Amino acid sequence: DFAAEQLADLVGENEGDLIVETTIDAGLQRVAQKAVRGEIDLEGADLHIGEGAVVVLDPNGGVKALVGGRSYASSPFDRAVKSLRQPGSAFKPFVYLAGLESGYSPDSVANDAPVNVSGWSPKNHTGTYGGEMTLRYSLAHSINTVAVRLAGDVGRWKVVRTAKRLGINSKLHDDPSIALGTAEVTLLELTSAYAPFANGGVLARPYIVARVRNGDGKILYSHRPDNPIPVIAQAYLGPMNDMMNATIVYGTGKQAALPDHVAGGKTGTSQKSRDAWFVGYTAHYVAGVWVGNDDCSKMKNVLGGTVPARIWHDIMSY
């Protein structure tokens, strides 16, 4: 469906047969579908998880696998492309990148203590405070107070601008809670906005149609790579990868770890576990996983570091 929707823009209205070659890797697509269905069949009833979605991209934005839901037969709605949901802490890399660009480093010391912004007092998931810690540790353990303070220090408008620059196209507000991912995004755009961390700092626009021919074999469209648009300066790429790797090595994303590959990523959980995400990458693939319910009802203590991280791990292991 996603590929078919692109065709009118790419080749106009066509009466005859079209042969459409997509970027999808059939083996990876099957594994991704199986991973979503398997995990939800296994734990969905107990944890109140009704749906899931997956996007796997190559570092340039080619869609290698796309799962829009648990079962196309029972619901053809595409949750990967069309569903707007709160990313929670999976939005924090844009806060931290804006921080690095404003002069902070992974070793900069932040204070995890109660914070109050115009009467709003966000808490950490654990309900505790850890005092002084590095930015690296605070991102790896997804410390909310540090992210809110950091966004306030560098300017929330800068955080919004950074997210937009990396490929978030949905409308973003600049309220204090933006640091904790309360503006809704799609899984596809969030995953593609992580691609610059994997590809050397270049914008990756997602695409699924590689080539279109007519019934006679004449090429009507062939995807041409964009001219590279740098969106992360080299000076900040290493430090960001260092912090995102810490999330998987000793932080909230440990269940996503791949024994044979260096990876980076971030967990995300929206308020009351309505959404749980894991978005991460190696040098070869960028993948995002979302689980939740279509009616936005609460799941039972499902965090980004649990079911989504496991689905991500299974797909990326393949």
Side-chain angles (χ1 to χ4, degrees):
D1 286 354
F2 182 48
E5 283 168 15
Q6 316 282 310
L7 291 179
D9 287 343
L10 300 179
V11 297
E13 297 300 330
N14 261 64
E15 295 302 310
D17 292 342
L18 291 178
I19 301 156
V20 182
E21 295 171 31
T22 72
T23 52
I24 293 287
D25 173 325
L28 187 54
Q29 176 69 26
R30 279 192 290 273
V31 166
Q33 282 171 319
K34 197 172 156 194
V36 170
R37 199 170 295 154
E39 194 69 48
I40 295 176
D41 286 352
L42 185 68
E43 300 193 86
D46 291 343
L47 299 175
H48 191 63
I49 305 170
E51 276 297 347
V54 171
V55 172
V56 184
L57 305 173
D58 67 32
N60 303 316
V63 178
K64 292 294 164 189
L66 189 147
V67 180
R70 194 173 59 83
S71 161
Y72 185 85
S74 60
S75 167
F77 178 65
D78 189 344
R79 294 157 190 82
V81 175
K82 298 191 167 162
S83 196
L84 283 162
R85 306 287 296 220
Q86 291 189 351
S89 295
F91 190 82
K92 284 179 186 166
F94 311 123
V95 178
Y96 282 70
L97 177 56
L100 295 183
E101 291 172 349
S102 300
Y104 290 85
S105 82
D107 294 310
S108 296
V109 174
N111 190 19
D112 172 21
V115 61
N116 188 306
V117 188
S118 316
W120 177 62
S121 303
K123 307 276 188 291
N124 292 322
H125 175 70
T126 55
T128 59
Y129 300 100
E132 290 198 338
M133 58 181 62
T134 62
L135 286 189
R136 180 188 296 105
Y137 183 93
S138 73
L139 183 63
H141 291 280
S142 208
I143 306 297
N144 289 340
T145 59
V146 172
V148 170
R149 277 208 181 85
L150 184 60
D153 289 347
V154 305
R156 292 188 293 271
W157 63 272
K158 265 192 191 160
V159 172
V160 169
R161 192 181 66 179
T162 302
K164 294 271 187 197
R165 192 177 75 224
L166 268 63
I168 299 290
N169 298 317
S170 292
K171 194 172 188 299
L172 299 176
H173 61 74
D174 61 359
D175 299 342
S177 66
I178 187 70
L180 305 185
T182 56
E184 296 177 331
V185 297
T186 69
L187 179 61
L188 179 64
E189 68 182 332
L190 186 62
T191 306
S192 68
Y194 274 57
F197 298 121
N199 70 17
V202 178
L203 182 69
R205 290 193 180 94
Y207 69 98
I208 192 167
V209 178
R211 195 161 71 148
V212 183
R213 291 174 291 155
N214 66 13
D216 301 328
K218 183 183 167 213
I219 295 172
L220 304 178
Y221 167 83
S222 186
H223 175 81
R224 282 192 197 83
D226 295 327
N227 288 329
I229 300 171
V231 290
I232 306 176
Q234 294 303 308
Y236 310 124
L237 202 52
M240 279 306 300
N241 285 329
D242 163 44
M243 290 194 287
M244 306 264 265
N245 175 243
T247 298
I248 291 179
V249 173
Y250 63 77
T252 55
K254 287 199 289 275
Q255 293 194 39
L258 303 167
D260 303 327
H261 286 274
V262 178
K266 186 71 194 78
T267 54
T269 313
S270 72
Q271 288 162 316
K272 299 183 175 166
S273 280
R274 288 190 170 94
D275 305 273
W277 311 68
F278 189 84
V279 187
Y281 55 91
T282 64
H284 310 286
Y285 290 97
V286 187
V289 177
W290 166 88
V291 299
N293 291 297
D294 287 341
D295 61 1
C296 291
S297 57
K298 299 181 243 186
M299 295 178 287
K300 288 184 186 158
N301 294 326
V302 178
L303 306 175
T306 61
V307 176
R310 289 198 287 276
I311 294 173
W312 189 91
H313 170 270
D314 292 351
I315 294 167
M316 292 295 262
S317 297
Y318 167 83

